[in-house]
Amino acid sequence: MNDVPRVNLGLAAKLDLCDPQLAHRFDDSFVRALPADPVQHDVPRPVRNACYSRVKPTPVAAPELLAWADAVGDLLGIARPDSATGPVADVLGGNHLLPGMQPYAARYGGHQFGNWAGQLGDGRAMTLVEVIGPDGRRRELQLKGAGRTPYSRRADGRAVLRSSVREFLCSEAMHYLGVPTTRALSLVATGEAVERDMFYDGNAQDEPGAVVCRVAPSFVRFGNFEILAANEELEELKRLADYVIRTHYPELGEPSPEVYARWFEEICRRTAVMVADWMRVGFVHGVMNTDNMSILGLTIDYGPYGWLEGYDLGWTPNTTDATGRRYCYGRQPEIAQWNLLRLAGALSPLIPDRADLEAGIDSFGRVYGECSQRIMGDKLGLLEFAAGDDALVEDLVAALHGAETDMTLFFRGLADVPVAAADDAVLMAPLCAAFYDESDGGHLLGWLRHYVERVRRDGQDPATRRARMNRINPKYVPRNYLAQLAIDALAEGDASVLKRLLAVLEHPYDEQPQHEDLAARRPEWARHKAGCSALSCSS
Ligand code: AMP
Ligand code: MG
């Protein structure tokens, strides 16, 4: 296959973002297909009978490129710029528009923390353009933090460096972990300060501002449909559904009542797969409002997310949610389903037969159950998930709760347990690095004895079992404190910490002996430090 010359469609070469030739690969299908807000100023207001408002980025003082994802550039056919300042940084910082760019902010609503919040919309995000990549696929370039829009409400339309780094880093890390996600092309410092009260306690401070260029086939959310249904804008609702199906689900066929039902079921399926993957790697989204749920089943809107350190179903990084813990790790599947029910409500004018909507919701439960069982079997290195293994998993969860145990290190270490050994200390040795607290290590030892018996019954070759487990249990995840160290260094002008972390996280399942320190347990200093274990929605 490799010897067959590729037909040159003019798509293979990578071009500079500002190369006029690139404009041939620009498109604006969303803008063309859907109704625009007729009003053209950015004063916050309720918008009616429209899917988006035309906007312009607000220029910033001194755009400077801090990070660039080559792999995302490859997808788009856009070359890494030679210089950190100049025309490309100007476009990606929002200071200059290229011919063919018709930026817009999408109109959406959402249920926030369980309640209908009305119109929200892209308050600081704007899609610049769609780019057709060398693979023939369409992807949006969307700036986050590029200024006010009609959806900014009382906020400033800006984003701070810390939250922008966190979005860039985590969305790329999720991709390499194999979790469906939006991507990020660039991170640009604005050279301007943004005022934020990080914990809403009256201590507002100036922080450096930044703009991330996010990339996804579409940023449409459940909330884009909810706002149309809530306002009984049924013509617009149908147009948006038809656009999303034709553009992003063409395999389902031309929109019809049956196709709408199949489409909803497919959204449920994708959402189940995504959340099962979150649970697999220990990711906690932190704000699973329906405006943060992608219609394509991608992880979207990285805000006060976090990574499990100690395995704890009740853990949430989001201080705004600390009392209710609605969006804690263990409730993510249930909340995803609750969100799908809200989407079902919004799509009901198109899918009048309740049974179709119920079938979709049922498929969420079924797919999530199948995925999570397969994942748990694979994480434990079992040949197959068999009768009785449920009890083994339940007991493991209880044991992990009993002694504060690092999720990532525990599952990675499990592959190294010499299951043929008889000695308890020998069995436990590969897991020791995972314990923050060994007060109830006895429970885990009891579990481990059952586990090794179970694994012995499979009779797998140890090396094969280990290799299989290491393909599903990552060694490297963007631990909360590592992201914070990268942010602190960047604020001092040192990009090397972020660069190294990004490079290591491109191979999260590989042993990288020279980067062992990045796989280590959270240090004690980070246990309660802001940004490391506690985050708010302020970003
Ligand atoms: P989030 O919690 O990030 O999902 O945001 C919820 C809503 O608030 C969305 O409509 C955002 O666009 C909007 N929003 C958040 N931060 C800002 C900001 N700094 N400026 C304008 N709108 C914002
Ligand atoms: Mg959001």
Side-chain angles (χ1 to χ4, degrees):
M1 273 302 276
N2 287 341
D3 298 335
V4 179
R6 288 177 50 165
V7 182
N8 188 350
L9 297 172
L11 289 171
K14 278 200 278 178
L15 297 173
D16 188 274
L17 176 62
C18 297
D19 187 324
Q21 288 298 317
L22 190 71
H24 297 305
R25 303 187 202 156
F26 285 175
D27 200 6
D28 55 1
S29 67
F30 189 93
V31 166
R32 271 185 288 122
L34 298 167
D37 170 14
V39 183
Q40 291 212 22
H41 59 68
D42 66 7
V43 176
R45 57 199 149 81
V47 172
R48 288 282 181 265
N49 298 100
C51 291
Y52 65 91
S53 302
R54 293 180 190 279
V55 291
K56 287 208 166 51
T58 306
V60 296
E64 182 189 345
L65 197 61
L66 296 180
W68 175 273
D70 282 312
V72 181
D74 290 349
L75 285 177
L76 296 162
I78 299 177
R80 172 190 279 263
D82 298 328
S83 155
T85 55
V88 173
D90 287 348
V91 173
L92 296 173
N95 281 16
H96 180 63
L97 290 173
L98 296 170
M101 291 182 167
Q102 305 186 59
Y104 68 87
R107 174 178 174 231
Y108 56 82
H111 281 82
Q112 298 190 313
F113 295 93
N115 303 303
W116 174 240
Q119 177 179 296
L120 299 166
D122 284 333
R124 55 171 165 175
M126 43 190 88
T127 292
L128 289 180
V129 73
E130 299 159 13
V131 178
I132 311 297
D135 58 1
R137 299 216 179 131
R138 171 191 313 276
R139 294 180 185 86
E140 288 184 23
L141 301 193
Q142 183 176 83
L143 301 187
K144 182 168 175 182
R148 289 167 62 84
T149 77
Y151 308 98
S152 299
R153 293 174 291 158
R154 285 182 304 281
D156 59 6
R158 294 299 185 191
V160 291
L161 180 66
R162 64 181 152 83
S163 69
S164 307
V165 171
R166 285 169 47 82
E167 171 137 16
F168 187 101
L169 177 73
C170 192
S171 64
E172 283 305 285
M174 291 282 267
H175 167 74
Y176 292 107
L177 283 163
V179 184
T181 180
T182 62
R183 308 284 305 266
L185 174 67
S186 62
L187 171 69
V188 169
T190 60
E192 286 180 6
V194 177
E195 194 183 80
R196 286 288 181 274
D197 184 354
M198 190 168 167
F199 287 109
Y200 307 112
D201 59 3
N203 288 314
Q205 288 192 340
D206 274 355
E207 296 191 44
V211 177
V212 171
C213 178
R214 317 195 278 194
V215 176
S218 169
F219 288 91
V220 170
R221 302 131 195 278
F222 293 5
N224 297 64
F225 296 92
E226 289 179 275
I227 191 74
L228 298 173
N231 288 298
E232 294 180 23
E233 297 169 19
L234 300 187
E235 170 59 28
E236 290 80 3
L237 180 75
K238 182 175 181 315
R239 278 176 72 178
L240 182 61
D242 292 356
Y243 167 77
V244 169
I245 292 170
R246 288 192 179 118
T247 315
H248 300 290
Y249 291 84
E251 66 282 6
L252 296 179
E254 261 302 286
S256 70
E258 299 79 60
V259 167
Y260 294 135
R262 285 216 301 278
W263 172 52
F264 178 64
E265 187 164 342
E266 175 62 10
I267 298 165
C268 292
R269 190 193 67 78
R270 291 192 192 187
T271 305
V273 169
M274 173 189 78
V275 176
D277 260 338
W278 292 358
M279 303 303 281
R280 170 174 68 86
V281 297
F283 173 78
V284 186
H285 183 284
V287 209
M288 289 177 73
N289 293 331
T290 55
D291 53 300
N292 291 336
M293 297 291 293
S294 148
I295 206 70
L296 301 184
L298 305 172
T299 313
I300 194 173
D301 274 13
Y302 291 84
Y305 68 80
W307 289 79
L308 275 195
E309 289 157 351
Y311 187 91
D312 176 358
L313 292 168
W315 185 73
T316 174
N318 186 357
T319 52
T320 318
D321 189 27
T323 36
R325 296 189 183 266
R326 179 178 172 85
Y327 298 142
C328 66
Y329 175 66
R331 288 190 71 189
Q332 296 188 118
E334 169 203 341
I335 296 292
Q337 189 174 44
W338 190 91
N339 289 342
L340 285 163
L341 280 164
R342 304 289 80 71
L343 179 64
L347 297 182
S348 61
L350 302 173
I351 308 174
D353 191 344
R354 267 189 79 89
D356 287 335
L357 293 169
E358 279 162 14
I361 297 292
D362 289 348
S363 76
F364 173 86
R366 193 181 59 251
V367 174
Y368 181 78
E370 287 164 6
C371 286
S372 65
Q373 198 170 77
R374 181 177 37 77
I375 284 171
M376 213 17 124
D378 289 347
K379 284 182 84 67
L380 294 176
L382 307 178
L383 271 183
E384 240 174 297
F385 202 90
D389 289 340
D390 274 328
L392 191 71
V393 171
E394 266 171 45
D395 193 32
L396 173 61
V397 172
L400 291 177
H401 268 257
E404 193 186 2
T405 312
D406 190 274
M407 176 183 179
T408 306
L409 287 170
F410 175 82
F411 281 103
R412 188 74 181 186
L414 207 53
D416 292 327
V417 169
V419 295
D423 185 83
D424 287 345
V426 174
L427 289 176
M428 281 291 263
L431 302 175
C432 288
F435 297 125
Y436 289 99
D437 153 29
E438 292 176 60
S439 54
D440 190 20
H443 190 164
L444 200 76
L445 179 61
W447 176 83
L448 194 59
R449 289 189 189 124
H450 285 127
Y451 170 69
V452 296
E453 267 172 38
R454 169 70 183 83
V455 173
R456 284 181 204 143
R457 283 206 300 279
D458 271 348
Q460 277 187 85
D461 163 57
T464 312
R465 171 176 162 274
R466 182 172 183 277
R468 280 185 60 218
M469 289 175 80
N470 285 354
R471 281 200 295 273
I472 192 160
N473 294 317
K475 167 118 182 176
Y476 296 96
V477 295
R479 291 173 176 275
N480 312 313
Y481 83 94
L482 292 175
Q484 190 59 39
L485 290 178
I487 292 163
D488 292 345
L490 207 55
E492 300 292 319
D494 173 9
S496 67
V497 180
L498 176 64
K499 223 175 135 187
R500 175 174 171 232
L501 195 51
L502 282 166
V504 169
L505 291 169
E506 282 186 21
H507 307 281
Y509 299 99
D510 293 356
E511 293 292 330
Q512 302 179 56
Q514 69 281 33
H515 299 299
E516 201 68 25
D517 56 316
L518 300 182
R521 202 164 69 194
R522 176 208 61 220
E524 273 311 300
W525 62 258
R527 183 182 282 273
H528 299 297
K529 189 171 153 40
C532 295
S533 62
L535 295 137
S536 74
C537 287
S538 149
S539 59

